[in-house]
Amino acid sequence: MQQIAYDATPLNAVTVDVEARIGWLLAMSRLHHPDPSFQDGRVFIEALGDAGMPTSRSLLSRWESGEIPISYEAMAAYEQVLGIESGQISSITAYVGAILPRIKARLARPKLDPATPEFADRLDALIDLCEDGGALSRDWQDLGWHLAAVPHAFLRSSVWAALCGRLVNEMPRTVKLAYRQYSAAAFNLAQVPRAQPYLVDAVATWVADPRAQVLTTPVGMLDRLPTRAAASLVLDMIEKPPTQSVFKVGIWSATEKLARGQFDDEERARLDMLVLQLWRRDPVRASEDLAELIAGMPEGMRSTLVHAADRAGRRRLGYAVEHGEEVVATRARAIAGQIAEQARTLVPQEPTYAEDRMLTRLVREALFHRDSERRHLSSLLIASSPFGRAVTDCLLVLLKDTGHSNWMRGRTATLARYLSDETHRLRMISLLDDPAEDVVTPVAQALGHMPYSAMSDQVLRSSLGRELTNAARGKMYALGMSGSPGLAAIATSDQVPEWQRVAAAWWQEHGSAIRPSPEPGA
């Protein structure tokens, strides 16, 4: 019976076992494939060979156990044989470095030889495509790989500015696989010293536009940029955030920069002052919003804040700092285990393997982990696995139970945003009138990640409301990302609030969602 890879690192560790997680993803993609013959490793190995990737049973076992890393070419062969979207598996490993920079994992990328004329020709073509706006998401990913192979390549200043400006301009509208491909490109560009100041300038310009409707994705790039300007911009996002979402991303970026030593003495002093100001202004809110940052601060500051919270009877902060979770372990384990067990019954094929503890851990992290980066990675892994749709089915049942706290329901809705697809549309529409704004906002955003639907569009527009709230922002985001034909009327109407006209005009100017690139010849 096949043993299933498991990441046994403590929940409060700063790193995770990436190879075990990728191994789990490979095994689950094969064992829960609609074709039951792939459960037989010999059949699958033969299919990999037919796809141009000769493989032994031993090598397959070591990949799927997480014992050794798998090459990009082998991941691509998995995708081809399983008939799944190109990049669904391979893009995850490339993306890990972008969101968990403290993890030393070998990034999956194709083998490139910068010494060949073919490499130079392809790099020239990619630069032209991306600079001129004709690039697809896979082209951006390819550009990132090529520049990573020649990090000291010389480009004119105007070319760097154009590439970085277009990348920052387009990334906020990417979804699903396209989001991971653009993010991998941004990660690779951020490793090129010459590109770094241009990326920071592009992010600063984007954030400075008061009309901008999507800010979190560009701000999230700053933790990869080790410049003084990037550090200053992160601190600005904490001190004077344009939205609560930007504030949360600023906290995440500051946590990463602090861990990687990217703040100098003056910047660390400013960060300490900002934390103390937020604490004095609202200690209850600060202990919730700043938990991941406080956990990464020097012992003196961390202990002072944890003890202050304990004395005030708010022991949740101390628990989160020590254990890496925001609820007690027994409850987190029970809820995650129940969701994972139910989801497993909804996917193809009966389990023919030993106990799978990884899905439970990923659901647990995605819902309850203290650190936003860990929740993000776990959510993406589930989304790339055969369990994404089934887990969402379970989450939507949980969301119907209004007896849970708004915090719990908000986390549940946020995970559903990552995993949902067209099959969940009707159930998600029914949640747009939920009394909890923390539920409505991610649900509306999830609808924006789906293709346009007249039914969704009508409900979103009729429930938009005149007041600018987080839920209203989420609904306008859904209208913009889905390319609502109603945007033109909203942008020119004198019967709607000014914020709606500004938002609708911005979406018309920038366009709707950027989705995964179609396969060549498709």
Side-chain angles (χ1 to χ4, degrees):
M1 181 173 289
Q2 179 165 342
Q3 300 299 309
I4 301 302
Y6 178 66
D7 180 357
T9 56
L11 284 168
N12 61 352
V14 297
T15 62
V16 297
D17 186 344
V18 174
E19 307 304 350
R21 293 175 183 232
I22 297 301
W24 172 85
L25 179 59
L26 294 170
M28 293 298 106
S29 298
R30 175 174 69 85
L31 296 172
H32 284 288
H33 191 271
D35 184 348
S37 69
F38 285 150
Q39 295 184 61
D40 186 335
R42 293 167 298 183
V43 173
F44 190 67
I45 288 169
E46 183 178 350
L48 286 176
D50 292 342
M53 180 54 61
T55 306
S56 67
R57 188 70 182 93
S58 172
L59 188 57
L60 182 74
S61 175
R62 294 167 76 191
W63 284 339
E64 294 188 353
S65 68
E67 184 179 340
I68 62 172
I70 183 172
S71 68
Y72 173 84
E73 289 75 16
M75 284 190 183
Y78 257 83
E79 293 165 346
Q80 179 182 339
V81 170
L82 295 174
I84 59 179
E85 189 174 25
S86 178
Q88 181 169 320
I89 296 175
S90 57
S91 67
I92 282 291
T93 302
Y95 184 71
V96 164
I99 62 173
L100 291 176
R102 284 175 280 174
I103 292 177
K104 303 299 182 184
R106 187 173 68 83
L107 301 184
R109 58 170 63 110
K111 296 175 182 176
L112 298 171
D113 184 358
T116 63
E118 292 79 12
F119 177 94
D121 290 343
R122 178 58 177 161
L123 178 57
D124 286 345
L126 287 168
I127 290 172
D128 289 341
L129 267 176
C130 295
E131 185 179 9
D132 296 341
L136 301 173
S137 58
R138 64 170 179 269
D139 297 322
W140 276 105
Q141 180 176 247
D142 204 8
L143 175 66
W145 286 332
H146 278 71
L147 288 174
V150 285
H152 299 293
F154 174 80
L155 299 178
R156 296 190 309 274
S157 295
S158 59
V159 175
W160 281 121
L163 289 174
C164 294
R166 190 169 292 280
L167 180 63
V168 170
N169 186 284
E170 294 182 1
M171 268 189 69
R173 294 180 289 115
T174 57
V175 298
K176 307 292 184 181
L177 174 58
Y179 169 75
R180 299 199 297 271
Q181 290 173 325
Y182 269 78
S183 296
F187 162 69
N188 283 306
L189 256 69
Q191 307 311 301
V192 179
R194 179 68 171 151
Q196 290 171 357
Y198 295 99
L199 281 171
V200 176
D201 287 347
V203 173
T205 299
W206 183 270
V207 172
D209 182 358
R211 303 174 305 142
Q213 298 298 301
V214 188
L215 296 171
T216 54
T217 306
V219 172
M221 295 171 58
L222 294 173
D223 78 290
R224 299 300 308 175
L225 297 165
T227 68
R228 302 277 61 80
S232 178
L233 193 52
V234 167
L235 296 175
D236 289 344
M237 293 301 97
I238 296 175
E239 185 173 12
K240 296 179 180 179
T243 67
Q244 180 65 13
S245 296
V246 170
F247 173 77
K248 291 179 179 179
V249 176
I251 293 298
W252 170 72
S253 296
T255 303
E256 287 304 308
K257 284 189 170 294
L258 190 63
R260 300 175 68 203
Q262 290 185 0
F263 287 131
D264 62 22
D265 291 344
E266 184 177 342
E267 290 156 353
R268 284 196 301 271
R270 183 185 172 193
L271 178 62
D272 289 348
M273 185 60 66
L274 289 173
V275 169
L276 290 174
Q277 288 173 351
L278 291 166
W279 188 273
R280 290 165 183 159
R281 185 183 307 158
D282 188 342
V284 176
R285 182 69 177 269
S287 64
E288 296 175 358
D289 291 346
L290 307 181
E292 61 182 306
L293 177 57
I294 292 172
M297 299 188 84
E299 172 63 25
M301 175 69 83
R302 181 173 67 246
S303 297
T304 297
L305 296 176
V306 168
H307 290 159
D310 285 348
R311 287 195 301 271
R314 297 187 300 274
R315 300 187 180 278
R316 183 174 176 177
L317 174 62
Y319 186 88
V321 167
E322 181 178 356
H323 298 284
E325 280 189 311
E326 296 183 288
V327 300
V328 295
T330 51
R331 182 168 183 244
R333 191 182 305 115
I335 293 175
Q338 182 180 20
I339 291 173
E341 194 60 35
Q342 290 174 346
R344 196 172 285 107
T345 66
L346 300 175
V347 295
Q349 314 307 339
E350 292 291 329
T352 57
Y353 46 78
E355 181 185 10
D356 171 23
R357 295 183 293 155
M358 186 73 89
L359 180 58
T360 299
R361 168 151 183 168
L362 292 175
V363 173
R364 181 176 174 178
E365 286 185 358
L367 288 174
F368 303 117
H369 203 278
R370 174 194 67 212
D371 298 344
S372 52
E373 64 172 20
R374 192 71 62 82
R375 297 195 301 271
H376 187 49
L377 174 61
S378 297
S379 300
L380 290 175
L381 280 166
I382 299 170
S384 298
S385 79
F387 299 107
R389 177 178 295 177
V391 169
T392 309
D393 290 336
C394 300
L395 295 173
L396 292 177
V397 172
L398 192 63
L399 276 172
K400 284 295 185 181
D401 183 356
T402 56
H404 292 290
S405 68
N406 284 345
W407 179 89
M408 175 65 194
R409 297 183 73 238
R411 284 288 177 88
T412 303
T414 298
L415 178 54
R417 181 189 66 196
Y418 280 90
L419 311 181
S420 56
D421 60 27
E422 186 63 39
T423 64
H424 305 110
R425 186 187 293 274
L426 287 176
R427 283 170 286 175
M428 301 195 85
I429 288 176
S430 70
L431 291 166
L432 287 175
D433 61 355
D434 193 278
E437 192 172 50
D438 287 345
V439 170
V440 176
T441 304
V443 163
Q445 292 167 340
L447 291 170
H449 295 168
M450 301 176 192
Y452 170 78
S453 158
M455 176 176 55
S456 298
D457 191 72
Q458 182 178 0
V459 176
L460 287 163
R461 290 170 61 187
S462 63
S463 65
L464 194 55
R466 299 184 65 83
E467 184 181 353
L468 178 55
T469 62
N470 287 335
R473 287 183 189 274
K475 292 175 182 179
M476 182 59 78
Y477 172 90
L479 294 174
M481 289 288 279
S482 61
S484 169
L487 291 172
I490 295 174
T492 58
S493 173
D494 58 3
Q495 302 299 311
V496 302
E498 175 67 14
W499 73 265
Q500 290 188 20
R501 288 196 296 273
V502 170
W506 186 91
W507 281 109
Q508 283 195 295
E509 177 185 341
H510 287 81
S512 58
I514 298 174
R515 304 186 186 280
S517 310
E519 290 301 304

